[in-house]
């Protein structure tokens, strides 16, 4: 049985600022009004990151707008949220994060079936010259595709 996947939020800046080496899928602990707000696409993960405290993974800096009809049940939009991962995955991440230059960055939030999932990327920061190389490669690729499309007409 295939599950439908609907993207709710993406972090395109993460691919610009980091080399994403591995990706992990994890669940997120949410309150009802946050789920309703997320389903409406009112989330921002641009400046968020994940950290590991006492063997638990926490997502910090993710903004979920308050649900319009939630009144007293709405929570703080920037509160820390617990991510749900297997213990062996967390141990593996702890070992990798201790290496210099690695961090956990959310790359997308999506709806998988009825559950909201987050894709975490194990990221290593890019230097300015790396960013320029990436931009140059992407523009060259776009130019090649444009010329091929023009040639095939």
């Amino acid at each position: 049985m295939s599950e439908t996947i609907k993207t709710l939020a993406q972090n395109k800046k993460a691919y610009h600022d980091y080399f994403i080496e591995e990706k992990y899928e994890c669940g997120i602990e949410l309150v009802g009004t946050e789920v309703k707000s997320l389903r409406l696409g009112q989330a921002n993960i641009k400046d968020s990151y994940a950290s590991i405290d006492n063997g638990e993974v926490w997502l910090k800096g993710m903004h979920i707008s308050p649900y319009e009809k939630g009144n007293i049940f709405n929570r703080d939009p920037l509160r820390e949220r617990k991510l749900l991962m297997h213990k062996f995955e967390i141990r593996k991440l702890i070992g990798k994060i201790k290496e210099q230059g690695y961090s956990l960055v959310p790359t997308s939030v999506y709806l998988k079936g009825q559950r909201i999932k987050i894709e975490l990327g194990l990221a290593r920061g890019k230097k300015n010259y790396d960013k320029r190389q990436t931009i140059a490669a992407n523009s060259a690729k776009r130019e090649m595709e444009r010329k091929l499309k023009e040639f095939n007409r």
Side-chain angles (χ1 to χ4, degrees):
M1 198 161 118
S2 66
E3 293 181 0
T4 58
I5 294 177
K6 178 186 173 193
T7 303
L8 303 173
Q10 280 192 320
N11 188 358
K12 293 180 183 177
K13 187 178 177 188
Y15 291 99
H16 181 346
D17 292 341
Y18 301 99
F19 292 113
I20 307 294
E21 297 189 358
E22 291 182 38
K23 292 181 182 178
Y24 297 92
E25 180 183 74
C26 55
I28 183 168
E29 198 172 87
L30 295 170
V31 182
T33 55
E34 289 176 329
V35 173
K36 290 179 180 183
S37 188
L38 263 173
R39 284 179 182 265
L40 294 174
Q42 298 178 341
N44 184 1
I45 57 172
K46 195 174 188 180
D47 297 325
S48 60
Y49 62 97
S51 66
I52 300 175
D53 302 326
N54 298 327
E56 295 178 337
V57 185
W58 293 89
L59 184 64
K60 300 176 182 181
M62 179 181 178
H63 184 274
I64 298 177
S65 299
Y67 184 58
E68 272 183 33
K69 300 168 187 163
N71 56 40
I72 62 168
F73 299 108
N74 281 328
R75 298 282 179 98
D76 179 29
L78 289 172
R79 74 180 183 94
E80 293 180 4
R81 293 168 179 90
K82 186 177 177 181
L83 297 179
L84 309 171
M85 296 180 79
H86 292 285
K87 197 162 269 190
F88 69 90
E89 287 179 321
I90 295 173
R91 285 192 196 118
K92 184 177 172 184
L93 285 175
I94 289 171
K96 296 225 177 186
I97 288 176
K98 284 186 180 177
E99 293 179 32
Q100 189 176 8
Y102 283 101
S103 58
L104 284 175
V105 179
T107 55
S108 67
V109 178
Y110 54 92
L111 199 61
K112 186 175 182 183
Q114 292 294 314
R115 306 201 185 276
I116 294 177
K117 301 284 187 177
I118 289 190
E119 185 178 74
L120 279 182
L122 184 65
R124 187 170 41 88
K126 283 186 182 179
K127 305 282 188 229
N128 280 337
Y129 59 85
D130 290 329
K131 292 178 189 177
R132 284 193 292 269
Q133 284 177 340
T134 305
I135 291 170
N138 288 343
S139 64
K141 183 180 175 184
R142 267 195 308 273
E143 187 65 30
M144 288 280 287
E145 288 174 354
R146 196 175 298 129
K147 293 287 182 184
L148 278 171
K149 188 175 181 181
E150 194 174 289
F151 181 73
N152 287 334
R153 282 188 183 178

